[in-house]
Amino acid sequence: MDAEAWDERYAAAELVWSVTPNQFVAAELADLPPGRAVDLAAGEGRNAIWLARRGWSVTAVDFAQVGLDKGRRLAEEADVTWVCADATTWRGEGYDLAVVAYLQLPAAERREAVRRAFEALRPGGTFLLVAHDSTNLAEGTGGPQDPAVLMTSADVLDDLGEASYELLHADRVARQVPDGHGEADRTAWDCLVRLVRRA
């Protein structure tokens, strides 16, 4: 989907995503001391706002202005700077944290976004990516049905090429999804990569 299609999607609903942060973002980052963070492909800003309310100074980047405008309204006084830019071309530097959550792009474009996020970090900065895992298509529930925009943690590490980092977590993780009809939750499979940039 392009920026215009996402703008239409955001305009058609009060909120496309929840106001609470992604469960893996919250679990992985709750104990990290605040600093400067970038949320790349931030959408309506749920992760950016959560980080800001925990003391982070956050740059929320997305190419859909309607999503960013919603996030700005939700953020109230939270320390978030809203930037309308494409994740594959945006540039930043000196960040302590880069978050990429559920960015759905074909491999070549994803690689650009992953590298932009990593390169925005200072040495010692944390990179966290959460996305729909490739196995979710056959083994899980929900998420994109186009295999071209799914990935594994190995794909993400390959995207980083020769970059120097300390790997903390790279795996497939289960996320429970309510079925909406009072039946048992279903399992969705995500990939999660957390690492720290070396000097």
Side-chain angles (χ1 to χ4, degrees):
M1 292 175 73
D2 60 16
E4 184 176 341
W6 274 107
D7 275 336
E8 290 174 4
R9 184 172 180 188
Y10 285 129
E14 185 172 344
L15 277 179
V16 173
W17 316 115
S18 72
V19 294
T20 57
N22 170 263
Q23 67 184 69
F24 299 117
V25 170
E28 291 288 328
L29 303 179
D31 295 332
L32 211 58
R36 291 181 67 225
V38 59
D39 182 4
L40 203 56
E44 295 161 318
R46 65 182 185 147
N47 296 317
I49 294 167
W50 177 80
L51 286 164
R53 289 181 176 155
R54 298 181 70 81
W56 290 84
S57 176
V58 186
T59 302
V61 179
D62 201 282
F63 68 180
Q65 187 64 55
V66 174
L68 294 173
D69 291 344
K70 283 183 169 182
R72 185 180 287 108
R73 289 191 297 272
L74 291 169
E76 298 171 344
E77 301 301 313
D79 185 9
V80 182
T81 300
W82 304 91
V83 177
C84 189
D86 191 309
T88 65
T89 58
W90 172 86
R91 288 186 182 275
E93 61 182 6
Y95 286 92
D96 302 293
L97 171 66
V99 175
V100 183
Y102 300 97
L103 179 59
Q104 301 163 17
L105 293 173
E109 295 172 57
R110 181 194 70 232
R111 185 174 302 112
E112 284 300 315
V114 165
R115 290 180 178 179
R116 300 285 178 177
F118 182 84
E119 290 165 2
L121 293 170
R122 63 164 179 79
T126 296
F127 171 94
L128 178 67
L129 179 142
V130 184
H132 300 285
D133 194 86
S134 295
T135 61
N136 191 62
L137 198 58
E139 300 175 25
T141 187
Q145 300 301 296
D146 178 1
V149 300
L150 302 177
M151 67 201 79
T152 65
S153 56
D155 293 331
V156 176
L157 296 179
D158 285 346
D159 289 343
L160 290 168
E162 299 300 313
S164 181
Y165 55 81
E166 176 189 357
L167 184 60
L168 302 180
H169 192 170
D171 208 349
R172 183 177 88 146
V173 291
R175 176 171 44 88
Q176 299 307 306
V177 180
D179 82 336
H181 302 288
E183 301 296 326
D185 289 354
R186 296 168 295 166
T187 300
W189 293 102
D190 293 339
C191 71
L192 188 152
V193 175
R194 180 177 176 184
L195 50 84
V196 173
R197 181 175 184 173
R198 288 188 174 134

